[in-house]
Amino acid sequence: MKLLQKINSPEDLRNCPESELPQLAAELREFIIDVVSVKEGHLGASLGVVELTLALHYVFNTPEDRLIWDVGHQAYGHKILTGRKQRFHTNRQKDGLSGFPSRSESPYDAFGTGHSSTSISALLGMAIAARLKGHSDRQHIAVIGDASIASGMAFEALNHAGVSDTDILVILNDNAIGIDPSVGALKKYLTNVKTGTAKEENLFECLNFKYDGPLDGHDLPLLIQKLSELKKIKGPKLLHLITTKGKGLKKAEEEQVTYHAPGRFDKMSGDLLQREKDPALGPKFQDVFGLTLRDLAAKNEKIVGITPAMPTGSSLKYFMEAFPDRAFDVGIAEQHAVTLAAGLAAEGMVPYLAIYSTFLQRGYDQLIHDVALQNLPVIFCLDRAGLVGRDGATHHGVFDIAYLSCIPNMTLMSPMDARTLRNMLYTVQNRREGPVAIRYPRGYSQDPEWEQPFQEIEWGRARELKKGTKIAVLSTGTPGTTIASVIPKTTEPEAISHYDFPFIKPLDQKMLETIIAGHSQILTVEDGVLRGGFGSLIAGLIGKMDKQVKLYRVGIPDEFISHGTTEELNNDIGADPGSLLRLLNELLSENQSF
Amino acid sequence: MKLLQKINSPEDLRNCPESELPQLAAELREFIIDVVSVKEGHLGASLGVVELTLALHYVFNTPEDRLIWDVGHQAYGHKILTGRKQRFHTNRQKDGLSGFPSRSESPYDAFGTGHSSTSISALLGMAIAARLKGHSDRQHIAVIGDASIASGMAFEALNHAGVSDTDILVILNDNAIGIDPSVGALKKYLTNVKTGTAKEENLFECLNFKYDGPLDGHDLPLLIQKLSELKKIKGPKLLHLITTKGKGLKKAEEEQVTYHAPGRFDKMSGDLLQREKDPALGPKFQDVFGLTLRDLAAKNEKIVGITPAMPTGSSLKYFMEAFPDRAFDVGIAEQHAVTLAAGLAAEGMVPYLAIYSTFLQRGYDQLIHDVALQNLPVIFCLDRAGLVGRDGATHHGVFDIAYLSCIPNMTLMSPMDARTLRNMLYTVQNRREGPVAIRYPRGYSQDPEWEQPFQEIEWGRARELKKGTKIAVLSTGTPGTTIASVIPKTTEPEAISHYDFPFIKPLDQKMLETIIAGHSQILTVEDGVLRGGFGSLIAGLIGKMDKQVKLYRVGIPDEFISHGTTEELNNDIGADPGSLLRLLNELLSENQSF
């Protein structure tokens, strides 16, 4: 790595002779593989844009010129070249580099990303600002993948940019895959463009962009020449590059879905290093969802499954493979996904929409306006609810309880364990009206024996797991498992009751009244924001009652939570087993003094 | 109206000879004008699709064939032809017809609308359901305007539909205007298509749609012929029609923005009938926003204004006319609008985003991910917060307090009167970080003297308006004006305190502690949902304190509120002056018995 060693900033890069760049590309690729093979993270996307990353920083005057990486999975090379090489081994670790571009991390990260399809909008805002402020020489570049550009938000931005009179450059990084293979008419169109079977049409020219390409995105000299040319051309421009996700690591090129974020692997062979699975763990929650849906669909032909570009991430793939006619990967199109589900439900189908908690934020109006208002029985399966760990602030699914429980007609559930998730999925299929959201976390359940015979869950009912005398702990979702393991370790376990609330909405009013009557202290535990969350709903109900009860709440405080392991983050917010134990012991001793 | 008289259902229509249809079109137009001129409502859109409406119900077998009207402003003719002629005079009145299509109102309304750009997604869901259920003969038609189809959500649906193998028909009703004139590259492209200056390109063909048009959308025989042809063609189809908004009423054709929803008018001349304005009223809140922003921008060149297709509705037009270079109507593109604002703010500009409360639901993820997470100083000016009256459930801005106050870094304000709104707009321009949302209602302020010299508002502080001895009323926003007028009429005015909370987040903790210490009963009053709303935030804080206080809350209950005048709706939920007076008197007598 003798060339890369010398590059501590894009300025160093720009001082290299162009002839050294191919060697530098090889070293950059090797560096990424070296670190990610050990430290984990997103691999394929960054390998695919090594040449482009070098060419961009070589041709453009970053950070004065603004460069935005859409989604940001592909920005590892960018981070390494922009002064973060030494710290790159801390990627995605607590207090280390973020896995995504971040304004607070570097001036080279012009705009933070994480969710897809935001880059053109942000870039256009910056370009307009530059025009208004008289920075007429500043260049503005966004790199966006073919899966991301097919999202509605990107179309809205193109539609505006096309008539905006700004000199922006959109680089379409077309590798025909997002996390899963790209879908949709636009993908088909781009394929036609590439194979030369498209007619004399060009969609981007229809939107008033100057279109250039398609070009080989791994040809460094060509890239440098083309970018240098485009720098001088006014108006909105789109450069269409063809790249290979995972480029330079054979296994990653061959198995692009797996090597999107492969975990640890052998850097020479590319072979995955299997982590030994703790036998106490059950399957991932996402697999409980995917496998259960497949089982249910075998008996209920009204069931359909929808995912916005997450067949693998949500494990809807199990259902998709078994029932391809009833499965719909709509691409990165959350708004459409929700209303499509509404249309299906309006005609008597039973749609299960698999979507990450933070991505449902993209379909919020559709959930309100098209689903809840019409009281349609759409089932939202919210994966990645709660803290997700190393993906960090953009991906923590902590707002859903607050933003869903305020919507009329919604039912909101959160299972404590895998078998309850399975039974929830089973129970909801027979509803004739009313949307349901089931939220469950990233990662493994602690329930190896999850695959029990199906059982109807009791609608709207909380469960008394343990009866005590003084303190009532009310939990919803998987934090209930943690608290259940903590209670026996307290100084006075027999004084503590524990109730599981699988239903956040409707809340089990009757059980609550009993709980309040029988306890002087209540502790709520949840893995969502405290504001507007489960505990705040409980507070609202206590306020209506005559009895005075002290309420304590554990959950996500009113700040954005960064990246790190879930354990580390829970520790920060006082939701790890140790903190919970201390808190319960404190409450017990407070209680003594009553 | 002798022909229309006989038409009580599409079946009656289909029994007419085709030769009678032009006469029927004239009568239908007249009927719409007759009723809307007196009863008010949306006019121009429905006049523009009279021929299309007749042709659709003539050719297709509604309601077995599914027909969706995007947004629904244009569905009056559809309602009149589908059995609702006799009740059409109750349009938008309480317990009368909804101003929009509604599944609960008629089987002919295949899908409820109100917000734009949902129709293709819903239609595709229905078409897929029909295929899965074996209804292979059922036809599926969506009518969508050129402003609506430019929204990202519609693009997502087209992108999916293009490869979906369903026989859907999308009718592009191209009149080059939404509520305000259409904008964007797509509009430019459609203009080129119409004038024949487009190249041999077709954007919809790029998306794998069979494209047909452009055709004159007022030519009934042509429409009938074309629709009959398209009925037999498989696969996704788009029919491009050119229509004139307001067709058939000269004034409405000439002044399309005004006649979108003109209020009462003379049905012969089209002249607007001016309603006498109550001299006690001040300007509309939207005008306070638009005029104030214009004033501020004259002195602060960093100010930019953004609206997603609502220059008139939000009154951003005043600013746009004065500062066209700094004003951006991005079309119906809420997602883009929010992130565009983030990009501008990232570069030091001061963006004011004018958006209706319910439409911000479309940009929720962008607000979280692009604005709040990066702590950027974007100013969200949320018009139509609270109950909006006759537009009904799709448009009531009642969720914003709940869905915004759970987001870290957000500041959320609501002015009690016009002058406070003005001063809020003034104060927020100097923030260097952190997003702010200012929510204000539809309609007139009660503040004719609003245009006072600018004054900084005290950040995060509540105001004591009146000091009493027993009950504290805590209000936020304009309901404070109502409650202030009610207190003097109670049996014991001196017992009631009144506090105005211009800041919902951050809440004035110190003031709250004083209030709780000094009162035994608290009543919160707000014009948003109770769940997760202002009162629930107060409940959360009371729960933390040692003193027992009885909390009562007035606001929107956990159900969707229908249409009617704001007074009628407030009456339903116990938020009108009479109900509030009764409630306060009850609390006073309860207090006696303590």
Side-chain angles (χ1 to χ4, degrees):
Chain A
M1 309 244 180
K2 65 182 203 301
L3 289 180
L4 186 60
Q5 218 169 18
K6 299 186 298 183
I7 308 293
N8 292 309
S9 74
E11 203 159 335
D12 294 339
L13 174 68
R14 293 192 280 267
N15 288 327
C16 286
E18 197 183 317
S19 59
E20 286 185 3
L21 296 190
Q23 171 63 21
L24 202 48
E27 292 184 14
L28 182 55
R29 204 161 251 134
E30 195 185 333
F31 188 88
I32 293 172
I33 292 173
D34 275 1
V35 177
V36 178
S37 64
V38 178
K39 299 287 182 175
E40 309 188 8
H42 292 99
L43 179 70
S46 285
L47 292 182
V49 295
V50 161
E51 288 80 10
L52 176 61
T53 306
L54 285 165
L56 283 168
H57 285 293
Y58 197 73
V59 171
F60 292 100
N61 183 32
T62 53
E64 170 57 24
D65 288 344
R66 307 301 200 239
L67 171 60
I68 305 182
W69 297 92
D70 201 275
V71 188
H73 287 142
Q74 78 289 55
Y76 288 3
H78 162 82
K79 292 206 173 201
I80 293 163
L81 293 177
T82 54
R84 286 168 277 184
K85 191 174 53 190
Q86 308 303 339
R87 294 182 63 210
F88 187 64
H89 66 95
T90 68
N91 186 35
R92 294 162 56 84
Q93 293 175 19
K94 189 155 189 300
D95 304 320
L97 294 185
S98 165
F100 297 98
S102 163
R103 278 168 56 82
S104 58
E105 192 176 289
S106 167
Y108 289 94
D109 296 358
F111 201 80
T113 47
H115 290 194
S116 97
S117 318
T118 64
S119 61
I120 307 173
S121 296
L123 189 76
L124 184 58
M126 292 181 170
I128 289 171
R131 190 181 67 203
L132 291 172
K133 293 161 83 180
H135 299 299
S136 56
D137 287 343
R138 187 179 291 164
Q139 300 278 331
H140 295 85
I141 312 102
V143 180
I144 181 168
D146 58 296
S148 293
I149 207 170
S151 179
M153 184 183 182
F155 175 81
E156 291 178 351
L158 291 171
N159 190 39
H160 182 197
V163 293
S164 69
D165 195 24
T166 52
D167 309 323
I168 66 169
L169 172 60
V170 175
I171 296 180
L172 171 57
N173 174 35
D174 183 359
N175 54 18
I177 188 166
I179 294 177
D180 285 289
S182 300
V183 296
L186 184 64
K187 178 243 168 78
K188 187 168 175 169
Y189 168 73
L190 293 173
T191 306
N192 288 340
V193 171
K194 282 180 273 188
T195 55
T197 55
K199 283 185 272 175
E200 284 305 293
E201 300 161 350
N202 188 290
L203 188 137
F204 301 105
E205 288 176 357
C206 292
L207 295 174
N208 216 29
F209 268 70
K210 183 181 162 3
Y211 171 87
D212 212 324
L215 297 185
D216 176 359
H218 300 299
D219 184 336
L220 251 172
L222 182 65
L223 283 178
I224 289 173
Q225 181 208 325
K226 184 56 73 181
L227 292 174
S228 306
E229 278 171 34
L230 288 171
K231 211 169 146 172
K232 293 173 205 133
I233 294 174
K234 293 281 167 195
K237 304 164 289 281
L238 186 133
L239 174 61
H240 184 179
L241 299 182
I242 310 301
T243 65
T244 302
K245 190 166 179 174
K247 182 79 178 178
L249 185 71
K250 189 155 174 289
K251 275 267 186 184
E253 290 186 33
E254 288 167 358
E255 298 172 35
Q256 296 183 327
V257 174
T258 305
Y259 282 78
H260 171 70
R264 292 179 60 194
F265 61 92
D266 181 286
K267 69 177 183 179
M268 300 311 290
S269 67
D271 291 336
L272 299 183
L273 301 177
Q274 293 299 345
R275 198 181 294 188
E276 251 179 72
K277 200 186 139 189
D278 181 346
L281 294 181
K284 287 183 178 172
F285 280 99
Q286 67 185 66
D287 290 340
V288 173
F289 160 72
L291 295 168
T292 301
L293 192 64
R294 189 187 64 187
D295 292 352
L296 295 174
K299 294 195 178 149
N300 182 346
E301 59 182 20
K302 289 190 172 165
I303 288 177
V304 291
I306 301 169
T307 176
M310 286 293 175
T312 305
S314 73
S315 290
L316 190 72
K317 64 181 179 187
Y318 298 117
F319 169 85
M320 295 181 85
E321 284 157 12
F323 303 98
D325 290 349
R326 287 149 65 187
F328 305 94
D329 174 3
V330 300
I332 305 176
E334 294 82 3
Q335 302 197 101
H336 168 62
V338 174
T339 304
L340 179 80
L344 283 155
E347 295 292 346
M349 303 303 288
V350 180
Y352 286 72
L353 174 56
I355 188 166
Y356 289 5
S357 166
T358 58
F359 297 162
L360 184 56
Q361 294 160 189
R362 286 267 172 104
Y364 189 44
D365 183 55
Q366 289 74 14
L367 178 142
I368 299 171
H369 179 272
D370 299 323
V371 179
L373 173 53
Q374 302 193 95
N375 210 21
L376 293 169
V378 172
I379 300 152
F380 295 90
C381 302
L382 294 197
D383 196 352
R384 307 311 200 252
L387 296 171
V388 297
R390 291 186 158 152
D391 275 336
T394 51
H395 285 63
H396 294 313
V398 294
F399 303 114
D400 53 16
I401 297 179
Y403 75 69
L404 291 176
S405 59
C406 62
I407 305 304
N409 295 343
M410 278 300 302
T411 295
L412 178 55
M413 306 187 209
S414 195
M416 185 167 150
D417 49 33
R419 71 186 70 187
T420 308
L421 171 56
R422 184 170 156 84
N423 286 329
M424 284 176 173
L425 292 164
Y426 169 75
T427 303
V428 295
Q429 66 182 317
N430 295 318
R431 283 175 72 76
R432 287 291 158 267
E433 57 181 34
V436 177
I438 308 175
R439 68 188 301 274
Y440 47 91
R442 189 181 207 277
Y444 291 92
S445 71
Q446 299 181 34
D447 196 3
E449 308 292 314
W450 66 285
E451 224 163 349
Q452 304 294 323
F454 285 119
Q455 237 182 325
E456 286 266 342
I457 51 165
E458 278 192 278
W459 202 260
R461 296 294 299 275
R463 298 188 303 158
E464 181 183 283
L465 300 179
K466 178 180 178 314
K467 182 82 185 78
T469 51
K470 296 172 183 169
I471 301 172
V473 180
L474 281 56
S475 64
T476 184
T478 52
T481 310
T482 311
I483 202 84
S485 72
V486 164
I487 293 174
K489 300 177 187 155
T490 59
T491 52
E492 202 184 341
E494 64 283 6
I496 303 176
S497 304
H498 182 196
Y499 302 87
D500 168 39
F501 280 72
F503 286 80
I504 301 168
K505 183 179 184 181
L507 269 176
D508 187 337
Q509 197 92 13
K510 214 174 136 193
M511 180 74 96
L512 259 174
E513 283 167 23
T514 314
I515 294 168
I516 292 170
H519 302 83
S520 53
Q521 289 162 299
I522 288 181
L523 171 66
T524 61
V525 184
E526 64 192 300
D527 57 353
V529 290
L530 291 169
R531 286 202 176 226
F534 170 66
S536 85
L537 292 172
I538 306 278
L541 291 172
I542 292 178
K544 285 188 191 167
M545 303 200 184
D546 270 324
K547 191 182 166 202
Q548 192 176 4
V549 184
K550 279 279 254 186
L551 178 66
Y552 305 85
R553 294 189 279 157
V554 168
I556 314 291
D558 189 30
E559 59 193 62
F560 285 102
I561 307 294
S562 194
H563 54 283
T565 65
T566 312
E567 292 71 27
E568 289 166 335
L569 301 179
N570 272 327
N571 191 275
D572 283 354
I573 62 167
D576 64 305
S579 305
L580 290 171
L581 179 59
R582 273 192 302 282
L583 175 62
L584 280 175
N585 283 337
E586 272 167 38
L587 297 191
L588 285 166
S589 67
E590 241 181 65
N591 199 292
Q592 302 292 352
S593 64
F594 267 126
Chain B
M1 309 245 179
K2 64 184 209 294
L3 288 180
L4 187 60
Q5 218 170 19
K6 298 186 299 184
I7 309 292
N8 292 309
S9 74
E11 201 158 338
D12 294 338
L13 174 68
R14 293 191 279 268
N15 288 328
C16 286
E18 197 182 319
S19 58
E20 286 185 1
L21 295 190
Q23 171 62 21
L24 202 48
E27 292 184 15
L28 182 56
R29 204 161 250 133
E30 196 185 332
F31 188 86
I32 293 172
I33 293 173
D34 275 0
V35 176
V36 177
S37 65
V38 179
K39 299 288 183 177
E40 309 188 8
H42 293 98
L43 179 70
S46 285
L47 292 183
V49 296
V50 161
E51 288 81 9
L52 176 60
T53 307
L54 285 165
L56 283 168
H57 285 293
Y58 197 73
V59 172
F60 292 101
N61 182 31
T62 54
E64 171 57 24
D65 288 343
R66 306 302 200 239
L67 170 61
I68 305 182
W69 297 93
D70 201 274
V71 189
H73 287 144
Q74 79 287 57
Y76 288 4
H78 162 82
K79 292 205 174 199
I80 293 163
L81 293 177
T82 54
R84 286 168 278 184
K85 192 173 54 188
Q86 308 303 339
R87 293 184 64 211
F88 187 63
H89 66 96
T90 68
N91 187 35
R92 293 163 57 84
Q93 293 174 20
K94 187 156 192 300
D95 305 320
L97 294 185
S98 165
F100 298 97
S102 163
R103 279 168 56 82
S104 58
E105 192 176 288
S106 165
Y108 289 93
D109 295 358
F111 201 79
T113 47
H115 290 195
S116 96
S117 319
T118 64
S119 60
I120 308 174
S121 296
L123 189 76
L124 184 57
M126 292 179 172
I128 289 170
R131 189 181 66 203
L132 291 171
K133 292 160 83 179
H135 299 300
S136 56
D137 288 341
R138 188 180 292 165
Q139 300 278 331
H140 295 84
I141 312 104
V143 180
I144 181 167
D146 58 296
S148 294
I149 207 170
S151 179
M153 184 183 182
F155 175 81
E156 291 178 352
L158 290 171
N159 190 40
H160 182 196
V163 293
S164 69
D165 195 24
T166 52
D167 310 322
I168 66 168
L169 172 60
V170 175
I171 297 180
L172 171 56
N173 174 34
D174 183 358
N175 53 18
I177 189 164
I179 293 177
D180 286 289
S182 300
V183 296
L186 184 64
K187 178 241 169 78
K188 188 170 172 166
Y189 168 73
L190 293 174
T191 306
N192 288 341
V193 171
K194 282 180 272 186
T195 57
T197 56
K199 284 184 274 179
E200 285 304 295
E201 301 161 346
N202 188 289
L203 190 138
F204 301 105
E205 287 176 358
C206 291
L207 295 174
N208 217 28
F209 268 70
K210 180 181 167 359
Y211 171 87
D212 211 322
L215 297 186
D216 176 359
H218 300 299
D219 184 337
L220 252 172
L222 182 65
L223 284 177
I224 289 173
Q225 182 207 324
K226 183 57 71 178
L227 292 174
S228 305
E229 279 171 35
L230 288 171
K231 211 169 145 172
K232 292 173 207 132
I233 295 173
K234 292 281 167 195
K237 303 164 288 275
L238 186 134
L239 174 62
H240 184 180
L241 297 182
I242 311 301
T243 64
T244 302
K245 191 167 178 175
K247 181 78 176 179
L249 185 70
K250 192 155 171 290
K251 276 266 186 184
E253 290 186 32
E254 287 167 358
E255 298 173 36
Q256 295 184 327
V257 174
T258 306
Y259 283 78
H260 171 69
R264 292 179 60 194
F265 61 92
D266 181 287
K267 70 178 184 179
M268 300 311 290
S269 68
D271 291 336
L272 299 183
L273 300 178
Q274 294 298 344
R275 198 182 295 187
E276 250 177 75
K277 199 186 143 191
D278 181 344
L281 294 181
K284 287 182 178 174
F285 280 98
Q286 67 185 67
D287 289 339
V288 173
F289 160 71
L291 295 168
T292 301
L293 192 63
R294 189 187 62 186
D295 293 351
L296 296 173
K299 295 193 178 152
N300 182 347
E301 59 181 17
K302 291 190 171 164
I303 288 177
V304 290
I306 301 169
T307 175
M310 286 292 175
T312 304
S314 74
S315 289
L316 190 72
K317 63 180 179 187
Y318 297 117
F319 169 85
M320 296 183 85
E321 284 158 12
F323 303 99
D325 290 350
R326 289 148 66 187
F328 305 94
D329 174 4
V330 300
I332 304 175
E334 293 82 4
Q335 301 197 102
H336 167 62
V338 174
T339 304
L340 179 81
L344 283 155
E347 295 292 345
M349 305 301 289
V350 180
Y352 287 72
L353 173 57
I355 189 167
Y356 289 6
S357 166
T358 56
F359 297 162
L360 183 57
Q361 294 161 188
R362 286 267 172 105
Y364 189 45
D365 183 56
Q366 289 73 15
L367 178 141
I368 298 171
H369 178 273
D370 299 322
V371 179
L373 174 54
Q374 302 193 95
N375 210 21
L376 292 169
V378 172
I379 300 152
F380 296 91
C381 303
L382 295 195
D383 196 352
R384 305 317 198 248
L387 296 172
V388 297
R390 291 186 159 153
D391 275 337
T394 53
H395 285 62
H396 294 313
V398 295
F399 303 114
D400 53 15
I401 298 179
Y403 75 70
L404 291 176
S405 58
C406 62
I407 304 305
N409 295 342
M410 277 303 300
T411 296
L412 179 56
M413 306 187 211
S414 195
M416 186 166 146
D417 48 34
R419 71 186 70 190
T420 308
L421 171 56
R422 185 168 155 84
N423 287 329
M424 285 176 172
L425 292 165
Y426 169 75
T427 304
V428 295
Q429 66 182 317
N430 296 318
R431 283 175 72 76
R432 287 291 158 265
E433 55 182 33
V436 177
I438 308 174
R439 67 189 301 274
Y440 47 91
R442 190 180 206 278
Y444 291 92
S445 72
Q446 298 181 34
D447 196 2
E449 307 293 315
W450 66 288
E451 223 163 349
Q452 304 293 323
F454 285 119
Q455 236 182 325
E456 285 266 342
I457 52 165
E458 279 192 276
W459 202 260
R461 296 294 298 276
R463 298 188 302 159
E464 182 183 283
L465 300 180
K466 179 180 179 312
K467 182 81 186 85
T469 51
K470 297 173 183 169
I471 302 172
V473 179
L474 282 55
S475 64
T476 183
T478 52
T481 310
T482 310
I483 202 85
S485 72
V486 164
I487 293 173
K489 300 178 187 155
T490 59
T491 52
E492 203 183 343
E494 64 283 5
I496 304 175
S497 304
H498 182 196
Y499 301 87
D500 169 39
F501 280 72
F503 287 80
I504 300 167
K505 184 179 185 182
L507 269 177
D508 187 339
Q509 198 94 13
K510 216 175 131 192
M511 180 74 95
L512 259 174
E513 284 167 21
T514 315
I515 293 169
I516 293 170
H519 301 84
S520 54
Q521 289 163 299
I522 288 181
L523 171 66
T524 61
V525 183
E526 65 192 300
D527 57 353
V529 290
L530 291 169
R531 287 205 175 221
F534 170 67
S536 87
L537 292 170
I538 305 279
L541 292 171
I542 293 178
K544 285 187 190 165
M545 303 200 183
D546 268 326
K547 189 181 165 203
Q548 192 175 3
V549 184
K550 277 280 252 187
L551 178 65
Y552 304 85
R553 295 188 279 157
V554 169
I556 314 291
D558 189 30
E559 58 193 63
F560 285 101
I561 307 294
S562 193
H563 54 284
T565 66
T566 312
E567 293 70 28
E568 288 166 335
L569 302 178
N570 271 327
N571 190 275
D572 283 354
I573 62 167
D576 64 306
S579 305
L580 290 170
L581 180 59
R582 272 192 302 281
L583 174 61
L584 281 174
N585 282 337
E586 271 167 38
L587 297 190
L588 285 166
S589 67
E590 241 181 64
N591 199 293
Q592 301 294 352
S593 64
F594 265 127

